[in-house]
Amino acid sequence: MSDVEIAVEKYHGAGNDFLVVSEAAASGDRAATEGSREDTADAPVGDRFAFTADRCDRETGLSHPDSDRTGADGVLFLAVDGEATPPRVEMTHVQPDGSVAEMCGNGVRCAALWGARELGLGVDEPADVVVVTPAGDRPSTVDDAGDHATVTVGMGRPSFAPWDVPLAPDHTTPLVEETVEGLTVTAVNTGVPHAVAFVDDVSAVDLEAVAPPVRHADAFPEGTNVVLAAPDDAGGFDQRTYERGVEGETNACGTGAVAVGAVARRRGLVGDEWVTVRPPGGPLEVRVTDDASFLRGPAEREFQTTLALQR
Ligand SMILES: N[C@H](CCC[C@H](N)C(=O)O)C(=O)O
């Protein structure tokens, strides 16, 4: 066993927060260019799942004077390919329960900002970065790549198809406004599954009580995120999300915001325009059309620190 030092950064998008570990350091690439190869071995983090569970814990996880919150909603293991045009950032998003999320809208914005910063892009003019996720490529544009950026992401085509959500095999048609475990939901996949419930007032619902039975319902063989939405007075929507993988409410959920837009459009509440969706952590802009969806919002870098790991 030996001690290995790794650099860890903390980012968040509308309060959905992530630790970021560079996989370039993992392969030794960055170490080679920085001339400190001995300090890093082949992978910066041997056991990604144990690392994520440990460092993301809200009580005992990673804390820092420049951050309000201990722990995080997950870890983004990122590798940048600066030779590609546009540059590509490969994202592996490990969640505190040990699962790997196929997509994460707030995480993609953070990954795009991280990639732009690594390459020194996005400062004088917007930078295009493609974030590569298990759910597909997510073309992103980073504006103002300092510590606080705005990132716009092409989120692909939301799907209500039962095999895409996915729903259990006895569901042969989309699940639209059906009652599942006491909550009336519409199921949509925006990179990951969401069960969206339109309610009168999102703050009047005990989300931690109503969401877990839906999250684990038989209708969703891979589980689902559970989203509450309510029209606000300004043509947008309030949003709250209980996340699979975090197993609790998060401050914001980007794929969930797009899910709210997709369900609102299906209900005829909005058209193809940009609309504002407001999770507790701050507003996000979403736009859904017949064959595409887009998410725009902040990405912020909070700090960088060094951790000594035993391997
Ligand atoms: N917070 C993320 C979603 C993570 C998805 C994950 N909770 C799952 O489906 O397992 C977002 O901004 O889109």
Side-chain angles (χ1 to χ4, degrees), residues 160 165 174-178 180 183-188 194-198 220 224-225 227 259 262-263 266-267:
F160 295 87
V165 171
L175 191 158
V176 178
E177 292 184 50
E178 276 179 43
V180 176
L183 200 63
T184 303
V185 297
T186 297
V188 60
H194 289 277
V196 180
F198 270 74
F220 303 106
T224 185
N225 301 286
V227 181
V263 175
R266 189 183 175 108
R267 290 165 66 110

Side-chain angles (χ1 to χ4, degrees), residues 31-298:
T33 54
E34 289 177 358
S36 58
R37 192 169 199 122
E38 326 59 287
D39 292 339
T40 56
D42 284 329
V45 173
D47 183 340
R48 289 169 160 186
F49 302 113
F51 176 86
T52 302
D54 265 14
R55 308 294 169 161
C56 289
D57 189 284
R58 287 295 177 192
E59 295 196 344
T60 56
L62 184 63
S63 61
H64 190 275
D66 292 345
S67 179
D68 295 346
R69 299 178 83 197
T70 295
D73 291 326
V75 181
L76 307 177
F77 294 92
L78 303 177
V80 65
D81 174 3
E83 302 294 307
T85 311
R88 292 168 74 80
V89 173
E90 200 159 315
M91 175 173 106
T92 305
H93 175 186
V94 181
Q95 306 199 85
D97 74 342
S99 61
V100 175
E102 287 183 297
M103 234 310 271
C104 175
N106 295 323
V108 164
R109 295 201 313 282
C110 294
L113 172 59
W114 175 87
R117 287 180 55 94
E118 289 286 295
L119 299 170
L121 301 173
V123 180
D124 299 324
E125 54 181 359
D128 290 332
V129 175
V130 175
V131 180
V132 180
T133 80
D137 287 2
R138 295 294 182 258
S140 307
T141 303
V142 181
D143 266 312
D144 275 336
D147 286 348
H148 310 273
T150 299
V151 184
T152 307
V153 183
M155 296 283 284
R157 182 173 162 276
S159 177
F160 295 87
W163 47 89
D164 284 336
V165 171
L167 298 175
D170 55 319
H171 291 259
T172 53
T173 55
L175 191 158
V176 178
E177 292 184 50
E178 276 179 43
T179 303
V180 176
E181 301 292 332
L183 200 63
T184 303
V185 297
T186 297
V188 60
N189 187 303
T190 53
V192 288
H194 289 277
V196 180
F198 270 74
V199 297
D200 291 339
D201 176 359
V202 296
S203 61
V205 178
D206 184 352
L207 187 61
E208 298 284 344
V210 301
V214 182
R215 181 255 180 269
H216 292 287
D218 291 344
F220 303 106
E222 292 177 17
T224 185
N225 301 286
V226 182
V227 181
L228 302 176
D232 63 19
D233 296 335
F237 300 91
D238 293 326
Q239 174 201 359
R240 290 176 66 196
T241 304
Y242 181 99
E243 283 197 40
R244 176 182 77 165
V246 176
E247 305 308 329
E249 183 173 6
T250 50
N251 281 335
C253 177
T255 51
V258 174
V260 171
V263 175
R265 185 170 180 273
R266 189 183 175 108
R267 290 165 66 110
L269 300 173
V270 300
D272 289 359
E273 70 276 15
W274 284 96
V275 294
T276 304
V277 179
R278 296 178 190 281
L284 299 169
E285 306 293 322
V286 308
R287 178 169 177 252
V288 180
T289 67
D290 276 344
D291 51 14
S293 64
F294 304 90
L295 170 70
R296 179 182 298 143

Side-chain angles (χ1 to χ4, degrees), residues 3-23:
D3 275 348
V4 187
E5 292 218 325
I6 66 159
V8 176
E9 290 171 272
K10 174 94 178 266
Y11 279 72
H12 76 89
N16 193 192
D17 57 351
F18 308 98
L19 306 180
V20 170
V21 175
S22 169
E23 292 284 283

